[in-house]
Every structure is written in structure tokens, then in C-alpha cells.
Amino acid sequence: MELDFSTLVPYAGELVQGFVTTVVLTAISTLAGLGLASLVAYVRSGKASLLGRMLGGYVEVTRNTPFIVQLFFLFFGLSALGFKISALFAAFLAMTLNLGAYSAEILRAGIEATDRGQLEAARALGMSRLQSYRHVVLIPAFARIYPALTSQCIIVMLGSAVVSQISVFDLTYAANFIQSRNFRGFEVYLVVTLIYLLLAVGMRQAFGFVGRRAFAFRQGGNA
Amino acid sequence: MIEFTLWDIVRNLLLAARWTIVLSLIAFAGGATLGMLLTLLRLSSLKPLRLLASVYVDLFQGTPLLMQLFLAFFGAAALGFDVSAWTAASVALTLFTSAFLCDIWRGCVEAVPSGQWQASRVLGMNYMQSMRHIILPQALRLSVPPTVGFSVQVIKGTALASVIGFVELTKAGTMLNNAAFAPFTIFALVALVYFALCYPLSCYARHLERKLYGSGIR
Amino acid sequence: MHKPQRILKTFKGALASGLLVLASISAIAASTSALASSLADIEQRGTLRVAVPQDFPPFGSVGTDLQPQGYDIDMAEYLAEQMDVNLDLVTVTSANRIPFLQTDKVDLVISSLGKNPERAAVIDFSEAYAPFFLGVFGTEQAEQIEEPAGLAGKTIGVTRGSVEDMELTGLAPGDTTIKRFEDNATTISAFLSGQVDYIATGNVVAAQIAERESQRAPKMVFQIKDSPCYIGLSQGNDELKAKVNALIEQAKQNGTLESLSQKWFHTSLPESFGS
């Protein structure tokens, strides 16, 4: 059997559309997910509370069930109950909740490594609780766990291939679409897999670029 | 028209969960064996072997598991191998698992303080001897919690085998939903079964981790 | 302690490794061939492997024991019985039934398969073995539409790679949102859960949904085309095709098809159907 990649050329438009969707979806759920994670980690690192327990439940349920089941539940389960959300929004929600749960745990480990004395020092300098939290706890914790966070975001991007199953026009949807038209599944999947690989490498570089700038102040002390 | 009682749904989901467990065990056993081999390659003193293992790990960690499954299922056949959904799912999940375990274990070996290496070399051990008697036992101790933790990812990964038609828990869920149409109940139950499988492992991993690192501090 | 080194850190490295893998796979692929099983192979094996649906009642669905049942399954049983071989049922989705045939995972596809030029380019078809009318269906509450142009601005669900997908893609106005799902189960779920208010599917499938979920019973909006079902087989497998065609003809003559129609569709075969 001869592989023929030229049959993909007429479908370049679909590939581009899928690529853009995957990138945009990943970008916004990364931002939202990291925001959610900061919030959850903030609540859970404080005194034990009902809210903290509930957020703990959310983290455990998300981490211990498959992404595809969460997606089906949000898309079909909730809409059957009358909470109708679009496929794109369900995908965004599932990705955000996932990244949020995993990053919250990573972040919590980073926060727990914070020197409590520094926090007290910051309060003594007259910073508010939120201010000192931001400067003494959150930002250094982010810097400490930045590599782990980078990997987690890439895992969520790669996992997003599953959103094709609820009709979101992402890169995998494009691959399946082309496969159903030209019946050249193997070629399509190989090429799309390569695109995902490049996307993962690109994300790692982009995170590295942002990290070097955002946490520049730590470089001198650490290296 | 056939009516599905709640018991019919639960019974079928539990029956299908068997295949999720079997597939997870295959993937984990195969992945651990291959992962061990890769870790050895990765730590070898020969550069081409190290390079080979690194490229392998990066390829599997840098591409979606779903694509790996599609390629194993339809790709292998195009290459002339006749693979069933069983084989394809087992192979893809084994390869995926081995790449992640290799990365975890390499990290554990490297986390053994370098002073240990120097000490064993001073004692006159060669590379293999120091690896076997000094480094690996310590690395093994470090590797247990993250390995148990990763087994959760393997179980969750088997859910994607549903997409190539392998009838496990998730596929049974979609099949039942098509016949009984109760998506809220069915997918909540499916999630519950996964949770029952994964949560104890997550807790155990965390417990092991605390024991390992807690003992050092106290 | 040195930092873990990542080989695929750069685009160049990733692209080079990826292309290397791609090239080696292409080389292996070129040197092999996936051959279809001939009639003799099947008889020697003693087993007929048939791809059937499990998410497309009344053609194929599952009972409370999750075993497939339906018109297509009965058809497969009839063929295996007449050929005096064992039957191996392989459940497939609409999207992957052609690849199953192409990669010789099955000998026949009996999965309410409609004929279209895209498919005819890669596989062969038998004579028709079941009637099928494709249409666009909507809920009672949904806005009534008379013709394809009325779909402008609407969202409609369809199973990816099905005949109705191809037809709809050609018929629907540019600003129609077509939501394509992996399999029929997901398409039907999307309709029943209210994610889409219109679907393109077959008349008997819609009737089955109506019987099950009266609240969102799909009503025919307009018919797309008469698209009977054919049995799919790999190209050039002429002996097998002749055998299958002879058995379909026999089933038409001796009333087997008519009784299947009565059993699963609760109606007689249409007159156009050669009986």
C-alpha cells in the first residue's frame, strides 16, 4: 500500500480551521484554568472551611474521572436536564475544570513550600492580606512550579483532541472529517499527529519565553 | 421497545468495568516492562541509546493519546498487521504508559543525590555496580508514589479506547445511553465507577508520598 | 544535578524526528499490502466477519444484555447460515465502517450503508438489501421548513461520513451550521438532549426515536433522497459479491426480506424494492 499525502491538499482549509480552534480553545482555557487554580489553591491553603471542602471534592472528582466522560456529562447530561450549553462551551468548561483541578494541586504544593516567616514579614511591612498573598506566596509559588505547570497545560492541549467527539471543529475533528471524505485515514492521522507534536513544542517554547520574562527577578538568585 | 431498568444499566456498566480493569492491567504491566527497558536505555552511557529513548518519550508525550489509538488501530492495518480493537488498545496504551513511566523513573534516578554516586565510585564500584547496589534501590523507593499516582492516568486513558469501538466502561455508557436515553444518570454512573476505581489509588499514592517525605522531615 | 534534557525542545528537532518517523512508516507501508479475504478464504476460515451497527435502531441496536440485534444483524445471520459458515459480528460506527473494510478487519459491511460516489471509489456494493429514505427531521416545536433553503441560519446534527452528511453538505445553504458527530448514538443523543433541533437521518430511525421519546418525536421536514442500503465489500472481490447478490435475490424471492421488514420496520417492503 502506497501512502499518498497529496490527497490532503484540498482539505488544507479544514486543517487550518481545526488548528485555529485547538489553539484558541487551549489559550482561553489555559488562562481561565490557571485563574481557577489560583482561586482554589488560595481557599484551600487557608483555614479549613465548607467552601474549601467543596473545592476539594471538585478537585478529586475531576482528577479521578476521564475527561471524555466529563465532556459527555456536561454536553448531554446537563442539556437533558435543561441546562443547554453549546459544544464549544462544554469543551471550554471541561478543559478549564481539568486544568484548574490539576494546577490547583501543583500550586498548593508550591504554596506549602512558602516560608511562613516571609508572609508575616510582609504583613508587618503593612501589606494587606491579599497583597502579601500575591507577592510573597502566589508569584514565588508560580515561579517554583512553572515547569510542572507548563507540562500540565500541554497535557490539557493534547487531551483536547477528545472534544472532537462532541462535534467541536478542532484539529482532530478536521482529521476525522477528512478521513470520512477521502478515506485516507492513515495519512491524515499521521500529519495531524505531527501538527500536535509541533504545537506541543511551540507551547513549551512560548511558556519558556513568558517564564523567563515574568520570573526574571528570580533568575539571579537561583542560578 | 425494550425498557432499561436502573439495575440493567448498573449491571451492564459493572460488567463493562471488568474490561476497563483488564485493559488497565495489561497497559500497566506492558508499560512498566517497556518503561523499565527505556529507563535503562535512557541512563545508558552510550549516547545513541539515550537519544533513542528521549525521542521516544518526547514523541509519545507530545502527541494526543487519541491520535496514537487511531494510528494503532487503522495505521497498523495499513502497514499489513491485522489488529483487533483489543490489540490496538493494548499496544497504544502500553506505549503511552511506558513513555510516561520512563520519564517518571528517570527523574527518580536523577533525584538520588550525586554524592551517592561519588561515594560508590570511591568504594571501587563500577557504573553497573553502583547503579544496582546504591542508586536503583533508592530510586525505587522514590518511584513508588508517582508510579501509583500514574496508574490513575492509565485507567482514565482506557476510556479513549471506546473511540475505536472497544467495549469498556465508557463505550458501554454511550451504548446504554443510545438504547435507554438517560444521559444524566448514565454518565454520572459511569463517572462514579471510574471514581471508585481511581480515588483509592490516588489516596494510596498520596499516603505513600507523605510517608516517604514525611519521615525525612520528622 | 543536571537538568533533564529534552530532545524535542526545538521545532527543528521535533520536525526532523517527526518527518523521520513519517518517512520510515511510508517506506514500510509501501512494501506491504492489506489484501481482502476472498470467498475461498472465508470458506476455509469457516467464519464470516460482518460489520454491523449497534447504535442505529431498527437496523442494529443493543438489548439489555448489550448484544446487537436488528435488521442488519438478521441479514448477516441469514447470509452466514446460507453460506454454511460461522458468523463473527463486529460492531462499528458510521464513521469507521469503511476503514474496517479497507483494512480487512471484516469481509462484509452490513450497516445500513448507502451508496455514493465517494464510497464507490474505494469499495464495492452488492444489490440493495433494505429500503431507506433520508430526510431532515425536526421537533414539533421547531420552525417548519419546506425545502433545503429554509435551513439557512439553523443548526442541524448529522453523523459524520454518512450519506446524509454528504447530501446535506451539498444541499444546505452556506450559513447553516452542520454539527457532525462520531456515530449515530451521539447524533441521536444530541437531538434528544436538545443540543440540536434538526437532524438528518433515515425515516425508520426517526420513527424509532419517536416511539421511544414521544416528547421530542422527530417529524419529517423534507425528504433528502431515496437511498436504499447496500452490503459493502472490498473492491475486486467478485466471487464474494456474486455469492452475496445471489443470496439477496433468493431472500427477495422467498420472502425472507419481507419478513425481516415486517419484524423490524412493522411494514411491507416498498414496491420499488423489486418484490
Side-chain angles (χ1 to χ4, degrees), chain A residues 56-72:
Chain A
Y58 142 68
V59 169
E60 292 302 335
V61 167
T62 310
R63 286 167 57 102
N64 288 295
T65 51
F67 181 63
I68 190 170
V69 177
Q70 296 165 8
L71 213 49
F72 283 160

Side-chain angles (χ1 to χ4, degrees), chain C:
Chain C
M1 196 171 62
H2 66 280
K3 276 257 171 204
Q5 151 204 23
R6 278 197 178 271
I7 298 297
L8 304 186
K9 199 165 41 187
T10 60
F11 274 113
K12 234 166 54 190
L15 200 60
S17 318
L19 288 178
L20 197 70
V21 173
L22 218 66
S24 39
I25 290 176
S26 304
I28 301 171
S31 66
T32 61
S33 56
L35 276 179
S37 306
S38 65
L39 181 58
D41 292 335
I42 295 166
E43 280 167 350
Q44 198 189 357
R45 193 194 306 135
T47 309
L48 180 68
R49 302 170 305 172
V50 183
V52 294
Q54 45 85 357
D55 60 356
F56 208 52
F59 288 94
S61 62
V62 293
T64 50
D65 54 357
L66 289 193
Q67 291 304 309
Q69 56 177 29
Y71 189 101
D72 286 345
I73 286 88
D74 283 358
M75 190 68 202
E77 274 167 8
Y78 162 76
L79 289 182
E81 205 173 287
Q82 296 296 313
M83 290 166 74
D84 198 24
V85 287
N86 294 321
L87 179 62
D88 184 8
L89 290 177
V90 182
T91 53
V92 292
T93 64
S94 292
N96 70 18
R97 52 197 172 174
I98 307 274
F100 263 78
L101 198 57
Q102 285 177 310
T103 54
D104 194 36
K105 289 183 195 303
V106 295
D107 305 312
L108 298 176
V109 172
I110 307 183
S111 181
S112 51
L113 193 64
K115 204 190 267 191
N116 65 22
E118 290 89 346
R119 284 177 184 163
V122 289
I123 63 167
D124 275 2
F125 291 99
S126 70
E127 298 297 319
Y129 74 95
F132 204 58
F133 299 94
L134 292 173
V136 168
F137 297 81
T139 54
E140 188 110 47
Q141 298 80 13
E143 193 187 319
Q144 291 307 306
I145 305 171
E146 302 287 311
E147 49 178 13
L151 285 173
K154 304 277 191 300
T155 301
I156 172 162
V158 68
T159 304
R160 170 162 43 75
S162 59
V163 170
E164 53 270 31
D165 177 11
M166 311 291 183
E167 293 290 330
L168 192 67
T169 308
L171 280 176
D175 59 344
T176 308
T177 310
I178 301 178
K179 291 265 173 198
R180 296 182 184 82
F181 295 96
E182 178 78 11
D183 48 32
N184 294 305
T186 321
T187 309
I188 294 168
S189 292
F191 178 76
L192 289 181
S193 60
Q195 288 288 0
V196 293
D197 283 333
Y198 300 94
I199 48 170
T201 189
N203 54 334
V204 278
V205 175
Q208 195 88 16
I209 303 172
E211 194 181 314
R212 197 168 66 194
E213 289 288 322
S214 51
Q215 287 190 331
R216 280 186 73 81
K219 290 250 177 336
M220 169 88 85
V221 175
F222 60 84
Q223 183 169 320
I224 299 178
K225 76 184 275 200
D226 175 5
S227 171
C229 307
Y230 302 84
I231 294 176
L233 13 69
S234 46
Q235 276 181 335
N237 208 345
D238 294 332
E239 283 171 44
L240 182 61
K241 186 166 149 182
K243 180 81 184 166
V244 168
N245 278 339
L247 289 173
I248 293 175
E249 190 53 38
Q250 180 188 315
K252 277 184 190 166
Q253 298 301 330
N254 69 13
T256 307
L257 284 192
E258 174 63 25
S259 66
L260 283 186
S261 175
Q262 289 291 349
K263 176 177 173 191
W264 294 106
F265 305 151
H266 310 299
T267 170
S268 281
L269 285 175
E271 277 183 29
S272 65
F273 215 72
S275 56

